[in-house]
C-alpha cells in the first residue's frame, strides 16, 4: 500500500500507520473527521470528501482518492483544500 500526500509518499502498512499516528498526535484531543456526503466509486477508484473538526470549528477539509485492488486500498491520495 502507498499513501500519497502533497509533501510525501509513504510505502508499506507499518510506515503508513506510523505516518498517520504522527499526524493524529499533533491534532487537538477533541479533533474528529466527519464525512461530507457519501463516498463514491467505480472501476477500482473511490473518493470520499471529509472535514476535520475541533469543537465547533472546522479546521480542515479535503478528499481522499483511493485505488482499490482485490478489495483493498492499494494507494490513497490525500488532498487538502486550500484555505
Amino acid at each position: 500500500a502507498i499513501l500519497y500526500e502533497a509533501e510525501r509518499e509513504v510505502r508499506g502498512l507499518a510506515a503508513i500507520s506510523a505516518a498517520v499516528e504522527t499526524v493524529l498526535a499533533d491534532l487537538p484531543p477533541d479533533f474528529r473527521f466527519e464525512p461530507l456526503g457519501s463516498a463514491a466509486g467505480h472501476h477500482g477508484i473511490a473518493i470520499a470528501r471529509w472535514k476535520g473538526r475541533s469543537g465547533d470549528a472546522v479546521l480542515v477539509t479535503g478528499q481522499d482518492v483511493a485505488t482499490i485492488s482485490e478489495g483493498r486500498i492499494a494507494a490513497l491520495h490525500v488532498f487538502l483544500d486550500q484555505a
Side-chain angles (χ1 to χ4, degrees):
I2 307 169
L3 170 66
Y4 295 101
E5 297 174 314
E7 66 283 350
R8 66 181 169 174
E9 175 182 314
V10 182
R11 294 178 176 268
L13 296 179
I16 292 169
S17 180
V20 170
E21 286 179 23
T22 299
V23 169
L24 294 177
D26 289 337
L27 297 173
D30 66 340
F31 185 87
R32 65 191 181 279
F33 288 102
E34 298 176 354
L36 289 173
S38 299
H42 57 79
H43 296 91
I45 303 291
I47 185 169
R49 296 213 20 87
W50 50 264
K51 62 184 172 183
R53 301 178 68 95
S54 178
D56 292 331
V58 174
L59 303 180
V60 63
T61 60
Q63 58 190 351
D64 295 342
V65 179
T67 303
I68 311 297
S69 178
E70 298 179 7
R72 299 182 65 133
I73 296 173
L76 181 67
H77 299 258
V78 178
F79 296 89
L80 302 179
D81 293 331
Q82 298 299 316

